[in-house]
Amino acid sequence: MWAHKAWQGRLLAHPLPTQERLRHYAGWCDAVEGNTTFYATPTRDTVATWVQQTGTDFRFVAKLPKVVTHERRLSEVTEPMRVFLDAIAPLGPRAHALWVQLPGSFGPDDVPTLARFLRRLPATYRAAVEVRHPAFFTETRATRLLETVLGEADAEWVSFDTTAFFAAPPTSDAERDAWTKKPRMPLRTHALTDRPIVRYLGRDDADRTVEGWQHWVDITVDWLREGRSPTMFVHTPDNVDAPVLARRFHDEVRARVPDLAPLPEPIPLEPTTLF
């Protein structure tokens, strides 16, 4: 997302060389979803440039390649996982979690496969699993089965909240496009580990986005007071103001948890001058 065109020249300086874009994004937010790794595994050299542009406390939640999760469905994935883990190795402590986003067809009968996969992950990585099969949300047995497997692996269940988005019909082209692509998932707010991860999808209207995340402010405050370290990703269908909204969410939480560290100051769009 740090190359998102809508931010260039408005939130991030433009033009910027490729090796500087993440540095400027990191002035707005201290975490990023590695969604592009789903489509292609980056080179180790590319990942090394990400390290150079971020501090050690920056969080990457890197999505596993689709060949692992969707094409081979976590079976016979030794080689693609070896290539992927070798590529992201330079991240070191910045690799906050490996994001295992599973297809909607991956259901309760597939949980043993997930369990075997999680057992084989190197202990240096923690997994965050996102499921989309409705049974995991509506059938108690399936919920408990998945929670047990995740708990044994110290893996988190990623909460993907689309309830605010689907609360009313779409009103823009971006919303209409997302309406056909995003899953209508039941709301889940339970954390399994000390590092919960939330993906929140609001609306293009900022006020409606803010209104829809109020329960997450309460939950995040509780998590912090419990000693957990949550990561919250804020999206809208067009993502035009996503960094601004993310900082607003952080501000709302920090107003209630003053000890929470502030976010970094954005890098100015233009160099500072004396005149």
Side-chain angles (χ1 to χ4, degrees):
M1 286 300 296
W2 57 77
H4 192 43
K5 290 183 178 179
W7 303 344
Q8 296 176 23
R10 191 172 64 89
L11 303 180
L12 311 181
H14 179 74
L16 280 174
T18 302
Q19 65 272 20
E20 287 293 323
R21 293 173 182 171
L22 174 55
R23 189 190 311 279
H24 283 244
Y25 168 88
W28 282 87
C29 301
D30 57 5
V32 72
E33 291 178 341
N35 191 58
T36 58
T37 55
F38 178 73
Y39 300 100
T41 296
T43 67
R44 191 181 177 105
D45 288 345
T46 294
V47 175
T49 68
W50 300 350
V51 173
Q52 295 166 6
Q53 296 177 69
T54 55
T56 56
D57 59 346
F58 190 88
R59 298 179 177 186
F60 286 88
V61 178
K63 188 187 289 190
L64 295 189
K66 65 178 179 180
V67 65
V68 172
T69 56
H70 286 57
E71 296 174 10
R72 300 189 185 181
R73 299 170 65 87
L74 306 183
S75 296
E76 299 182 6
V77 294
T78 299
E79 182 58 18
M81 281 300 298
R82 183 195 65 78
V83 173
F84 178 76
L85 293 177
D86 180 70
I88 68 168
L91 292 179
R94 297 168 179 79
H96 185 70
L98 301 182
W99 176 13
V100 188
Q101 187 185 80
L102 297 169
S105 59
F106 195 100
D109 292 342
D110 299 302
V111 170
T113 302
L114 173 63
R116 287 191 294 272
F117 175 82
L118 293 175
R119 284 196 295 268
R120 295 187 64 188
L121 284 180
T124 51
Y125 294 102
R126 296 179 69 176
V129 179
E130 181 183 328
V131 293
R132 296 187 173 185
H133 193 290
F136 291 122
F137 301 88
T138 60
E139 298 178 12
T140 302
R141 180 179 173 277
T143 302
R144 290 177 177 172
L145 176 63
L146 180 59
E147 287 184 341
T148 298
V149 166
L150 295 178
E152 291 172 348
D154 194 24
E156 188 54 81
W157 183 334
V158 177
S159 295
F160 186 19
D161 182 5
T162 61
T163 56
F165 174 69
F166 286 112
T171 59
S172 69
D173 288 342
E175 289 185 350
R176 280 185 283 273
D177 181 62
W179 194 268
T180 64
K181 296 177 179 178
K182 301 300 181 182
R184 299 189 182 215
M185 309 302 298
L187 180 62
R188 176 184 167 81
T189 61
H190 179 59
L192 299 179
T193 72
D194 62 345
R195 299 200 292 183
I197 296 175
V198 178
R199 306 182 63 232
Y200 168 74
L201 177 63
R203 300 292 295 247
D204 286 340
D205 184 307
D207 290 339
R208 295 173 72 179
T209 296
V210 172
E211 179 183 2
W213 76 32
Q214 291 308 308
H215 59 281
W216 285 116
V217 173
D218 295 336
I219 293 166
T220 303
V221 167
D222 289 341
W223 282 341
L224 290 167
R225 290 172 175 168
E226 292 167 0
R228 302 180 197 260
S229 183
T231 304
M232 179 79 175
F233 293 111
V234 176
H235 291 279
T236 65
D238 60 16
N239 277 320
V240 168
D241 292 315
V244 177
L245 289 166
R247 292 177 72 89
R248 181 169 175 179
F249 180 89
H250 187 276
D251 287 343
E252 290 192 18
V253 172
R254 193 164 181 248
R256 294 171 56 182
V257 186
D259 291 340
L260 180 64
L263 288 172
E265 286 299 318
I267 298 173
L269 295 183
E270 300 291 341
T272 302
T273 60
L274 295 176
F275 303 99

